[in-house]
Amino acid sequence: MGTMKETTAVYPGTFDPMTKGHFDLIRRSAGLFDRLIVAVAGLSPKPTRLFGIEERMAMVRECLEDDGLGNVEVLPLDCLLVEFCRRNGVRAVVRGLRAYSDFEYEFQMALTNRQLASEVETLFLMPNEEHSYITASTVREVARYGGNTAHFVPPSVERHLRAFFEAHPEQRIQGGAVGNTGAFDR
């Protein structure tokens, strides 16, 4: 009788902040693989980033803890994704596709990664339809205007958003939601 190989996949991203769509893909990927690594990118070309890598990793870990996902670990991504895969014995990369507009970029990245490391496969998953329109950049914008983010992010992430804007009111965009319509007015 042969031995079973443990299947490990990586789900990379900036997760700034982690959305319900991200978490849907984490939950579903955790059910497909023996082990899932959520690789949180430390460097990002996005100038509108809110959280540093440590806080983004903490948010992902809190969501995992809240959901009881024991086969998922969170690691920093500080190199090329294919190098990360080699270092961690990963042969599958999970990427999310929300809409057709995501496909071109993701397809180019998958082909580039295949050229760099032919042993690493990229798998595309679509989030649940109710989360397919959510992007982290939209969440950041809604939060900056003081809008309600509860429909877009897990509760622990919403707490981090609230704490961030309480500590950094200069990051708010004036003229945002007023009264009890804002996410942080509860």
Side-chain angles (χ1 to χ4, degrees), residues 13-148:
T14 54
F15 307 104
D16 185 36
M18 186 168 74
T19 68
K20 287 183 178 180
H22 291 136
F23 197 68
D24 176 54
L25 292 181
I26 291 170
R27 186 182 293 124
R28 291 176 38 232
S29 297
L32 294 172
F33 297 95
D34 297 316
R35 178 175 165 239
L36 177 68
I37 301 171
V38 176
V40 180
L43 301 173
S44 171
K46 299 175 183 179
T48 58
R49 186 172 31 187
L50 291 180
F51 299 104
I53 187 169
E54 292 302 324
E55 191 163 7
R56 289 181 282 132
M57 289 175 60
M59 283 188 274
V60 175
R61 286 186 182 114
E62 288 170 28
C63 291
L64 295 172
E65 199 172 289
D66 291 347
D67 210 63
L69 292 174
N71 67 329
V72 182
E73 76 179 288
V74 181
L75 295 175
L77 177 60
D78 58 358
C79 59
L80 282 175
L81 180 59
V82 293
E83 181 58 31
F84 181 91
C85 290
R86 287 180 178 137
R87 283 188 209 164
N88 291 283
V90 174
R91 300 221 22 230
V93 175
V94 174
R95 296 297 297 162
L97 292 177
R98 292 179 306 255
Y100 183 74
S101 58
D102 290 343
F103 180 76
E104 186 175 0
Y105 172 79
E106 294 296 342
F107 183 70
Q108 289 173 344
M109 290 307 302
L111 291 178
T112 301
N113 287 339
R114 183 182 291 166
Q115 284 297 312
L116 296 172
S118 62
E119 72 277 10
V120 177
E121 294 291 342
T122 301
L123 306 171
F124 298 109
L125 291 178
M126 296 182 307
N128 187 304
E129 295 81 19
E130 69 185 272
H131 307 305
S132 64
Y133 66 94
I134 302 170
T135 67
S137 56
T138 299
V139 170
R140 288 190 303 270
E141 185 172 350
V142 168
R144 281 193 164 107
Y145 276 99
N148 187 343

